[in-house]
């Protein structure tokens, strides 16, 4: 009888812990800390703010800011939609400060309900999905890790990026 009670209490404890983690991850990007980079993906469990999307909750390091400046200076473009959770994952990889540089200079909003929209530019560029990066005339579709963007753009600076994107199915 005592063994059965202990087993039940143990199972309830695990269930409560899992429920707690699920409620926390519903509000914030999922992250795990490794020695090198923090792994991140965004479980879009709440509706985005109309025209804007979700709040960027990560911070930028020197490498993210330098890459964002490089991408802006080399004429790269990032095509996005405010409601796209993958676009938000891309924002989280850069962090708030670096993504502000992207937003101010090279981001193209493809949805007419977004801030400063240019759906005609997206149509003209034949954007197949979001996010899509255009770097040196080549399209890179989907969330790109910052090392991939650095390589594609010829960036030679600091690549000690804080975050790395992981698939939802790892």
């Amino acid at each position: 009888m005592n063994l059965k009670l202990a087993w039940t209490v143990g199972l309830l404890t695990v269930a409560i812990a899992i429920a707690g983690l699920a409620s926390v991850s519903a509000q914030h990007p999922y992250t795990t800390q490794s020695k090198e980079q923090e792994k991140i993906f965004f479980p879009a469990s709440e509706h985005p703010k109309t025209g804007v999307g979700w709040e960027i909750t990560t911070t930028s390091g020197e490498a993210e800011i330098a890459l964002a400046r490089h991408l802006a200076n080399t004429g790269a473009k990032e095509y996005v939609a405010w409601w796209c959770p993958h676009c938000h994952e891309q924002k989280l990889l850069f962090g708030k400060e670096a993504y502000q540089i992207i937003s101010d200079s090279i981001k193209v909003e493809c949805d007419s309900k977004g801030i400063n929209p240019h759906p005609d530019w997206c149509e003209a560029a034949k954007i197949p999905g979001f996010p899509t990066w255009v770097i040196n005339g080549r399209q890179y579709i989907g969330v790109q890790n910052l090392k991939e963007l650095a390589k594609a753009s010829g960036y030679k600076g600091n690549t000690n990026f804080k975050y790395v994107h992981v698939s939802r199915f790892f």
Side-chain angles (χ1 to χ4, degrees):
M1 191 79 158
N2 286 340
L3 184 59
K4 187 175 181 181
L5 180 61
W7 180 252
T8 302
V9 170
L11 283 176
L12 284 172
T13 302
V14 169
I16 290 169
I18 290 171
L21 286 173
S23 69
V24 168
S25 69
Q27 301 301 319
H28 302 288
Y30 173 76
T31 60
T32 59
Q33 189 67 38
S34 70
K35 285 184 180 181
E36 297 170 11
Q37 293 178 297
E38 197 170 331
K39 296 177 182 168
I40 192 165
F41 76 85
F42 178 67
S45 60
E46 54 191 52
H47 294 289
K49 183 176 177 185
T50 302
V52 177
W54 298 271
E55 179 184 356
I56 301 172
T57 57
T58 55
T59 58
S60 307
E62 291 178 22
E64 288 83 6
I65 291 169
L67 176 61
R69 286 185 179 137
H70 170 78
L71 290 167
N73 290 335
T74 58
K77 293 288 182 202
E78 183 199 22
Y79 294 86
V80 301
W82 62 267
W83 45 261
C84 167
H86 302 297
C87 299
H88 188 68
E89 289 174 321
Q90 191 71 73
K91 292 176 186 179
L92 293 171
L93 291 174
F94 275 99
K96 188 173 189 169
E97 300 80 6
Y99 197 77
Q100 189 63 55
I101 296 165
I102 301 291
S103 184
D104 290 345
S105 56
I106 65 174
K107 178 186 90 168
V108 178
E109 174 60 56
C110 294
D111 188 291
S112 61
K113 293 182 182 175
I115 295 174
N116 195 23
H118 294 285
D120 52 328
W121 296 2
C122 304
E123 188 175 325
K126 296 182 168 78
I127 300 304
F130 307 116
T132 293
W133 288 89
V134 177
I135 301 171
N136 297 321
R138 182 165 178 229
Q139 287 188 350
Y140 298 85
I141 303 162
V143 180
Q144 304 296 311
N145 279 310
L146 300 190
K147 287 188 178 186
E148 295 163 352
L149 291 174
K151 182 178 177 184
S153 67
Y155 173 74
K156 301 293 184 205
N158 179 354
T159 58
N160 189 23
F161 301 119
K162 294 171 69 173
Y163 310 103
V164 64
H165 180 254
V166 294
S167 170
R168 296 181 198 296
F169 309 105
F170 56 91

